[in-house]
Amino acid sequence: MARPQKRFTQLIEEIDRTPWGPAEQALVAEAVALAVELGDEQLEYEARMRQTASANMNGATDVMLNSFAWCLARHDADPQRFPADLEYGGADLMWQFKWMASSLRSSPAFSLDQIAAVLDDMEEHYRAAGLGISGVLTARFEDAWDAGRIDEAEALRVQLEATPRDDHSHCDACGRSQVAGFFAETDRDAEAIRLVEEMLEGGFSCGEEPEHALSRVLVPYLRAGRPDDAKSAHLRSYRLAKDNPDNLRIVANNIVFSALTGNEARALAQIERHIGWLAHDGLNVDAHFAALAAFAFALDRVTAAGHAHTPVRGADSPALTAFFGDHDGPWGAADLAAAAWASAERIGAEFDHRDGTDGHARALVRLRALADESYDVPVRSDAFVSSPDSTTPADADAWFDRAMDLAQFGAEHETLQALPHALAVEDPSKLAQLMSMRLGILIALDRADEAADLLPARIDALRATGLDVQADLEQRLGLATFGLDTPEAAAALEDELATAASLPAWSRGDLAISRASLHMHAEEPGAALDMAEIAARAFAEAGDVRLSNTTTLVAIAAVLQKGDIEAASALLDRFLDQDDLSIGHRAQALQTRARVRGGSEAFVEGAADADEATRLLAGLGATTALAAAHLLAGALWEDAGDPEKAVTRYRVTSRLVAQEGGDQAGADFRLARAMLAAGDAEVAAELFGQVLESEEQAEVHAASRAMTASLLARALAASGEFGQAVGAFGYAAELFGEAEEHADQAVALTERAKILARFDENDEAIETLEAASEIVRKAPDAVGALADVLHNLGQAYGARQDDRAFALFDEVAALAQEHEAGWLLADVTDSRGRALAQFGRTEQAVAAALTAADGFAAIGDAGSAGGSELFAARLLAGDDRAADAVPIYRSALEHAAEVPPLRQVSALELGTVLESLGRHVEAAEVRALLDA
């Protein structure tokens, strides 16, 4: 018996230190099951008390209600054995009472009598236990508000405000958030904003705060003309809420914000990400109502933006049929909007019928009224995919042209989709070409059996066109001329080529290009070029411009495979100068040249080629190929140092990948990285968080997750979310350690330490840096990381007057000299000077600072040189050596010519020093610089 009880104790300890979520839920369930198995009701009480809290935080309402009822019954029967407060740091039984009435109210399946009974029972328990009445008033206020009894709710709010707070009052965060929501709903926007800002300024937080409070004041911020505050609140609220299905109401508020602010594509993406949450908690029907109304409102905006037929991914899940009804095929935005409105109205009517009010009907009226409001607050996380130049071909011949272009680009899937529309052509020669195209694609997609079944029809089509020689050739060769890559196919082509002189020119070209393609697959570019030359002559003789151009592209690919970039570039330039290129061939050549230019670091020119390729592909409706083309364009603009343009391309990539399937996490990672580089850190943090979640679910390698976590941490820090950044850098370090990437692990720890030091957590910062210094020495070849970690630890020691700093500075200086890193040498010399100043060694500190200034100046960093000189001058001025400080101040002023803040500070301080020396005219001259 002792062993299971020990396991139970371990489970309880682990539960109490595990964050809310699936892992914690699993531990709780195991603890309850083990207690039941042991037959020990006191242990079961311990486990179920935790289960109630866990279920409340994770949106498992049925589990919460059952668990609470079990615990309350035991407590009422024997309060000594089953005390209301287990004193484990979590909610006690009386606190949990507050969740019960709210949970019953959230489903119309529970009657008003049941809700009233719970509230009365709660009040009886509170009074019997001698507790304050604040918690009971809060529950009654919530009940009246949710039921739409606004006057009663207002009276209770006023009474609650006058009631002393006690241990069972809502916490500062939850209390302010709740009343802020009530104020926002009753058109008291300024008061709502005031409460939320008080909460933020006080640093108050709780289980779903501040994300819930922030979501409640999004519209009030907009109406108050504070779009930047609204955007920041939205991004923070959504980022904090988006991973927990119990936050469905919060997400709903954020979706309305996205739709209301011109971010319809973002709203659609958010709906797709969270629509499955409707099926998460069957008893939280009020949250379903809020979400469905938000979805409907947002999808109306998507429709108004011209995307009525855009598919809404995930809406056709069988689990959602209860909400939207049956539907053939994917739901389009407009149809789903109508279904969502209808579902919200139905649910709202059920609530209003139970409550005897029109509260939910009024909520829908308020939401619909927002249709008259619109605000321009761009959030660049998502984009619609539109192809304004792409028109549906009018007839089979037009479809033939479309299919040819798609095939000539190499868009295999899109070509297969276009082929059925084109096969109705009357021209037998066109039909034969389409069949050839289809066979080649099937072989490329490893569907040789399907191709073999279709080959007789191709041969019949050739005979119908009068091409009996080609028909006989293909009958002999089977699938060899369609790309079948087997030794037998290669040998058969060789045999035919050896006796091909008597064949028509087109057939000779077909044999040669088929053999060239197999040489390319075998990485035999020289042989491929020889065959391409034969094919080119044959197709030129046959007068087939299309296949002549195809052959040129094969030749260019062979030249690239040989590594002759210069020759390939020249061929591509000449090829693209032609006037007779098809759209498909031009797009393929542009994309190839874009890659070549990127490899040659001509990033801007390569990006321009990639952009033009995307324009052509959009006109063809080549969505899968278009995603790769936008990705290439984005990568080239990123490499060109223009993250803004990269963001634009990556946004389209992300949406296309979402629609067509592919590496969504990879696309979003690139988008987030470009956003971070472009200064849009808050959106970047949201995207990095989504990528990390995807990588966790896919169990990708720790090193990849570590890189994502590290960039997430940088984005959080740039967003001012320093607490979360500290955690993210710590997690990144753990993952880098798991992957044995020691240098990266040490850098992540160093960045964590910098934030800790910024907030005066100096002891923890130094401990972190000391750990980083031990780790980084395991990667001695990572010189940059080694220098960075040791330098930062030296600076931390110096600030604490710990003379271990100087040995570290010596080591960094030696690394800088060994690797001819002039800036690093100057920087660590500056750090030495500042550390010496902490020890009161002014002469040495000034000498080191001036040496650093000379080093910075020698490599052209005048601003840093001025900074070191300003520090030296201050030391001298503070040491009663004002006259000695003057020339150094003047030198700092000169170096600061292109750094206005440094120039202003230097001029201000120099003027003060000159005044102290009685040199008033000079002081006035210097101060005149401030006016300038």
Side-chain angles (χ1 to χ4, degrees):
M1 183 65 72
R3 188 172 298 168
Q5 286 184 329
K6 182 178 181 181
R7 172 58 183 157
F8 182 85
T9 302
Q10 291 173 339
L11 281 169
I12 293 297
E13 291 173 353
E14 195 170 351
I15 289 165
D16 291 347
R17 63 172 179 266
T18 302
W20 308 117
E24 174 264 346
Q25 285 178 289
L27 292 170
V28 170
E30 185 181 347
V32 171
L34 183 56
V36 171
E37 181 185 330
L38 290 168
D40 189 323
E41 284 197 333
Q42 283 181 285
L43 295 184
E44 187 176 351
Y45 187 78
E46 282 191 57
R48 287 193 182 277
M49 283 283 285
R50 288 165 172 81
Q51 185 177 55
T52 303
S54 172
N56 176 64
M57 294 304 299
N58 291 295
T61 303
D62 54 344
V63 173
M64 180 183 71
L65 292 171
N66 291 330
S67 180
F68 176 80
W70 189 95
C71 291
L72 184 64
R74 299 304 180 282
H75 169 75
D76 287 348
D78 191 345
Q80 297 302 315
R81 287 186 68 205
F82 305 101
D85 190 355
L86 293 179
E87 298 182 353
Y88 70 98
D92 69 20
L93 192 63
M94 295 302 107
W95 185 282
Q96 292 178 356
F97 235 127
K98 296 198 294 184
W99 303 334
M100 298 306 119
S102 175
S103 297
L104 267 69
R105 162 144 301 287
S106 293
S107 172
F110 299 104
S111 70
L112 286 180
D113 289 343
Q114 288 174 299
I115 297 166
V118 169
L119 288 168
D120 291 343
D121 194 24
M122 177 182 180
E123 184 164 351
E124 287 176 16
H125 276 83
Y126 269 52
R127 292 190 184 280
L131 303 176
I133 205 67
S134 173
V136 175
L137 287 174
T138 298
R140 293 194 182 279
F141 163 68
E142 289 176 345
D143 176 60
W145 176 22
D146 288 349
R149 304 190 303 270
I150 300 301
D151 291 343
E152 180 186 339
E154 175 63 13
L156 284 163
R157 183 195 68 78
V158 172
Q159 184 182 355
L160 181 60
E161 196 172 79
T163 301
R165 290 178 54 79
D166 56 60
D167 290 344
H168 288 79
S169 299
H170 268 10
C171 70
D172 286 315
C174 292
R176 282 179 170 82
S177 175
Q178 182 188 59
V179 177
F182 182 66
F183 281 157
E185 188 173 311
T186 51
D187 299 322
R188 289 175 277 184
D189 288 353
E191 293 177 74
I193 291 171
R194 174 184 58 78
L195 282 174
V196 172
E197 290 185 342
E198 282 179 4
M199 186 181 92
L200 296 173
E201 288 164 10
F204 304 129
S205 63
C206 193
E208 60 176 28
E209 300 298 349
E211 52 266 39
H212 199 174
L214 289 166
S215 78
R216 285 168 153 158
V217 292
L218 295 175
V219 175
Y221 267 138
L222 292 172
R223 288 174 171 164
R226 297 172 60 180
D228 291 342
D229 291 326
K231 179 178 177 179
S232 293
H234 162 64
L235 291 171
R236 185 179 182 189
S237 171
Y238 182 66
R239 185 176 69 249
L240 293 172
K242 66 181 176 61
D243 298 327
N244 186 350
D246 195 39
N247 292 334
L248 186 56
R249 283 178 174 275
I250 304 173
V251 167
N253 291 341
N254 280 282
I255 288 172
V256 170
F257 172 87
S258 295
L260 197 56
T261 52
N263 298 291
E264 295 88 355
R266 177 175 173 81
L268 176 60
Q270 289 172 321
I271 291 169
E272 291 176 334
R273 194 172 299 128
H274 301 290
I275 196 167
W277 285 9
L278 289 170
H280 170 70
D281 184 353
L283 289 178
N284 195 4
V285 183
D286 211 14
H288 300 161
F289 169 80
L292 287 162
F295 294 171
F297 176 82
L299 290 169
D300 277 350
R301 288 291 177 106
V302 170
T303 299
H307 299 276
H309 302 296
T310 296
V312 182
R313 293 177 303 128
D316 54 355
S317 166
L320 301 181
T321 303
F323 297 97
F324 304 124
D326 294 319
H327 190 267
D328 291 332
W331 281 95
D335 288 345
L336 188 61
W341 279 124
S343 190
E345 288 164 358
R346 174 182 55 77
I347 292 172
E350 291 175 5
F351 275 108
D352 287 346
H353 176 73
R354 178 195 70 181
D355 296 332
T357 70
D358 62 350
H360 284 73
R362 290 200 311 270
L364 291 179
V365 169
R366 282 194 303 275
L367 184 58
R368 288 184 188 275
L370 289 177
D372 298 327
E373 298 184 37
S374 186
Y375 304 88
D376 184 20
V377 187
V379 181
R380 302 180 303 160
S381 59
D382 300 274
F384 287 118
V385 176
S386 56
S387 304
D389 298 328
S390 178
T391 56
T392 302
D395 54 31
D397 286 307
W399 273 108
F400 171 82
D401 294 335
R402 170 69 59 85
M404 293 297 288
D405 277 320
L406 289 167
Q408 286 159 28
F409 174 78
E412 294 162 344
H413 294 285
E414 288 94 335
T415 306
L416 284 180
Q417 291 168 0
L419 277 172
H421 302 285
L423 288 171
V425 291
E426 296 181 1
D427 185 337
S429 65
K430 287 185 176 181
L431 186 61
Q433 289 180 63
L434 291 170
M435 289 182 167
S436 173
M437 192 186 306
R438 188 174 185 182
L439 288 167
I441 292 172
L442 290 173
I443 293 296
L445 296 177
D446 293 325
R447 294 160 61 179
D449 290 344
E450 291 179 57
D453 292 340
L454 291 171
L455 183 59
R458 155 72 177 177
I459 293 171
D460 290 343
L462 285 171
R463 296 195 189 284
T465 312
L467 298 174
D468 291 317
V469 174
Q470 181 68 21
D472 292 342
L473 178 64
E474 291 182 13
Q475 197 151 26
R476 292 195 301 274
L477 288 172
L479 296 171
T481 57
F482 300 100
L484 186 65
D485 192 3
T486 65
E488 295 77 13
L493 288 171
E494 293 283 1
D495 291 343
E496 291 289 348
L497 281 164
T499 59
S502 60
L503 292 174
W506 195 94
S507 296
R508 297 199 307 273
D510 189 35
L511 288 170
I513 198 167
S514 299
R515 188 65 185 97
S517 296
L518 295 185
H519 280 308
M520 288 293 293
H521 291 160
E523 297 186 3
E524 299 165 352
L529 273 174
D530 291 341
M531 284 292 109
E533 185 177 348
I534 293 170
R537 287 198 300 269
F539 288 131
E541 181 182 340
D544 192 325
V545 174
R546 175 179 67 87
L547 281 174
S548 291
N549 289 333
T550 298
T551 302
T552 302
L553 285 172
V554 171
I556 290 169
V559 172
L560 285 171
Q561 197 175 85
K562 288 180 68 177
D564 193 343
I565 304 300
E566 187 175 344
S569 297
L571 283 169
L572 281 164
D573 290 344
R574 286 199 299 273
F575 185 72
L576 284 164
D577 281 341
Q578 294 176 223
D579 295 327
D580 59 356
L581 290 182
S582 68
I583 293 173
H585 279 146
R586 185 171 294 280
Q588 181 62 263
L590 283 165
Q591 199 167 79
T592 301
R593 190 169 70 176
R595 291 193 176 95
V596 170
R597 285 176 162 175
S600 303
E601 299 189 1
F603 300 120
V604 173
E605 295 82 357
D609 279 346
D611 280 343
E612 177 61 11
T614 62
R615 187 188 68 80
L616 295 174
L617 290 170
L620 294 176
T623 49
T624 302
L626 193 57
H630 276 287
L631 184 68
L632 174 62
L636 288 166
W637 281 120
E638 196 175 4
D639 289 340
D642 195 334
E644 287 288 352
K645 286 190 173 71
V647 164
T648 303
R649 279 69 178 172
Y650 286 149
R651 287 170 68 206
V652 179
T653 303
S654 179
R655 184 63 199 174
L656 283 166
V657 169
Q659 286 181 188
E660 305 299 322
D663 183 9
Q664 183 74 58
D668 285 345
F669 179 88
R670 287 175 174 268
L671 175 57
R673 187 176 62 191
M675 284 217 168
L676 183 58
D680 208 341
E682 290 176 301
V683 180
E686 177 187 310
L687 289 167
F688 279 129
Q690 289 171 197
V691 172
L692 185 58
E693 181 184 1
S694 297
E695 290 181 336
E696 297 282 6
Q697 291 172 352
E699 298 181 347
V700 302
H701 192 271
S704 178
R705 286 181 284 142
M707 181 59 68
T708 304
S710 179
L711 286 169
L712 169 61
R714 293 178 189 278
L716 288 167
S719 303
E721 297 284 352
F722 297 107
Q724 291 189 62
V726 165
F729 274 126
Y731 182 51
E734 289 178 22
L735 291 171
F736 278 129
E738 184 182 331
E740 298 186 352
E741 299 285 351
H742 302 302
D744 289 325
Q745 182 184 12
V747 168
L749 289 171
T750 301
E751 293 301 322
R752 182 176 185 273
K754 288 177 183 177
I755 297 175
L756 290 168
R758 177 174 178 171
F759 292 94
D760 296 324
E761 299 288 343
N762 295 310
D763 290 341
E764 188 176 354
I766 287 178
E767 288 176 11
T768 302
L769 285 168
E770 288 172 339
S773 69
E774 292 179 11
I775 291 166
V776 79
R777 292 189 188 281
K778 298 177 184 177
D781 294 336
V783 177
L786 179 63
D788 185 46
V789 173
L790 298 183
H791 192 178
N792 276 278
L793 180 56
Q795 289 173 323
Y797 281 154
R800 299 283 287 267
Q801 296 183 13
D802 185 332
D803 59 11
R804 287 180 291 178
F806 299 110
L808 293 171
F809 292 148
D810 289 341
E811 189 172 352
V812 175
L815 287 170
Q817 290 169 332
E818 179 185 350
H819 295 277
E820 299 180 354
W823 193 92
L824 175 59
L825 181 59
D827 193 36
V828 75
T829 304
D830 179 89
S831 297
R832 182 190 300 277
R834 294 174 193 270
L836 287 165
Q838 292 289 328
F839 284 85
R841 293 153 63 177
T842 304
E843 286 292 339
Q844 292 171 282
V846 169
L850 294 178
T851 301
D854 291 341
F856 284 128
I859 57 175
D861 188 348
S864 294
S868 295
E869 288 169 331
L870 178 62
F871 174 68
R874 284 172 172 172
L875 287 176
L876 291 170
D879 199 36
D880 296 328
R881 296 167 60 186
D884 293 337
V886 169
I888 300 176
Y889 268 122
R890 290 194 182 280
S891 183
L893 202 55
E894 291 175 13
H895 280 131
E898 302 301 325
V899 188
L902 178 60
R903 183 174 174 81
Q904 287 183 327
V905 171
S906 300
L908 184 64
E909 293 186 17
L910 176 55
T912 302
V913 169
L914 290 168
E915 284 283 0
S916 72
L917 293 169
R919 295 157 65 174
H920 304 297
V921 174
E922 293 176 72
E925 291 173 351
V926 169
R927 286 178 175 147
L929 295 173
L930 292 172
D931 297 333

